[in-house]
Amino acid sequence: MTHMGRMARNGLAGLALAAMLALAGPSLAASAAPSEPARAELLRRAQAGDVAAYDLLADSYLNAKGDQRDVEAAVRWLNVGVKAGDTGCMIALGNLYFVGEDLDQDEAKALSLYKAAAAKGDALGAYNAGLVYETSAEDLTQALGWYWRAAAGGDEGGMYKLALAYQLGRGVTADETRAVAWMRKAAAAGSVDAINDLGTYALQGYGMPVDEGRALALYVEAAQRGSAVALANVAAAYQNGE
């Protein structure tokens, strides 16, 4: 993972396809990052006080192979970034605590860091806070509140979660019109899972007229953007003659 930001989007499930795979939430994703300078250059920038270098440097330590991998150094620089008020470092360190592979799992610390990032206007921090409430605290009311905040800030994950909530009637009254509206917003914001789900909506006539051609086109688009679920849906469509 080139930039430690996005946690796995899971939890609320999408529609199931007859004779096709059930829709799933996005897999572990990361924000797109520019090509990273050499670690020596990142270290020079970080030591000079360049806040933008802190999480990139930490990422280089975590993604290094063999003896070059240094979790302690990564965490040290993330903490420097947190103290400097960098939301990327807050989210990255929160992810380490939430996942619990390189640090002892501490969801309370993760949540605190995500909320701190959200308080500074980071929509991804709000999304991740919602994910903690949904998957760990099992508090859907709190989760939806944070997803609303993330969606309002332009986060496609928050939009996608709201679409699923209206689709399934979880925490809100089921509403096809609002589900489709939020799914379209999520797709426009870049969610490949939303594009795939819109294909399912078109195939099943959920909130829109049945349109198999449109469904296939959406599946193909999502597959071309890297969705394995959409790729399977394209194959199933051809297999079933849809």
Side-chain angles (χ1 to χ4, degrees):
M1 202 161 60
T2 56
H3 183 73
M4 300 173 297
R6 179 78 55 188
M7 290 199 308
R9 286 184 179 143
N10 52 21
L12 293 173
L15 288 170
L17 280 173
M20 293 189 183
L21 296 178
L23 300 181
S27 59
L28 200 66
S31 304
S35 56
E36 297 178 17
R39 182 185 294 173
E41 172 62 15
L42 285 172
L43 183 59
R44 183 196 66 77
R45 287 170 51 193
Q47 290 173 335
D50 184 353
V51 176
Y54 295 152
D55 64 336
L56 291 174
L57 178 58
D59 191 59
S60 75
Y61 280 119
L62 288 174
N63 286 314
K65 297 185 182 299
D67 294 339
Q68 295 298 310
R69 191 170 192 272
D70 191 335
V71 174
E72 183 178 347
V75 172
R76 183 170 63 251
W77 282 109
L78 288 177
N79 276 309
V80 171
V82 169
K83 291 179 180 178
D86 182 68
T87 61
C89 288
M90 294 173 188
I91 293 171
L93 186 57
N95 288 353
L96 291 178
Y97 279 119
F98 185 84
V99 174
E101 292 181 356
D102 291 309
L103 296 177
D104 290 337
Q105 189 172 42
D106 191 327
E107 292 171 357
K109 284 186 179 179
L111 183 59
S112 178
L113 286 160
Y114 296 149
K115 287 183 175 180
K120 287 182 168 289
D122 195 308
L124 180 54
Y127 170 83
N128 283 357
L131 190 63
V132 174
Y133 277 113
E134 181 187 353
T135 61
S136 299
E138 297 184 355
D139 187 336
L140 190 57
T141 299
Q142 283 274 18
L144 287 175
W146 286 101
Y147 292 148
W148 273 106
R149 186 167 175 174
D155 182 73
E156 47 97 358
M159 298 174 191
Y160 182 71
K161 287 290 193 177
L162 292 179
L164 293 179
Y166 280 114
Q167 173 191 310
L168 300 172
R170 293 202 53 201
V172 293
T173 301
D175 188 320
E176 288 187 10
T177 300
R178 290 184 177 180
V180 172
W182 277 112
M183 198 65 77
R184 284 175 171 158
K185 288 180 180 180
S191 170
V192 296
D193 298 275
I195 295 170
N196 179 73
D197 286 25
L198 284 174
T200 302
Y201 288 1
L203 181 63
Q204 297 186 346
Y206 178 82
M208 61 182 69
V210 173
D211 188 336
E212 292 184 357
R214 178 61 176 157
L216 180 58
L218 287 164
Y219 288 148
V220 169
E221 180 181 352
Q224 290 174 335
R225 294 192 184 194
S227 170
V229 173
L231 188 63
N233 286 344
V234 172
Y238 281 113
Q239 178 181 357
N240 298 331
E242 296 174 310

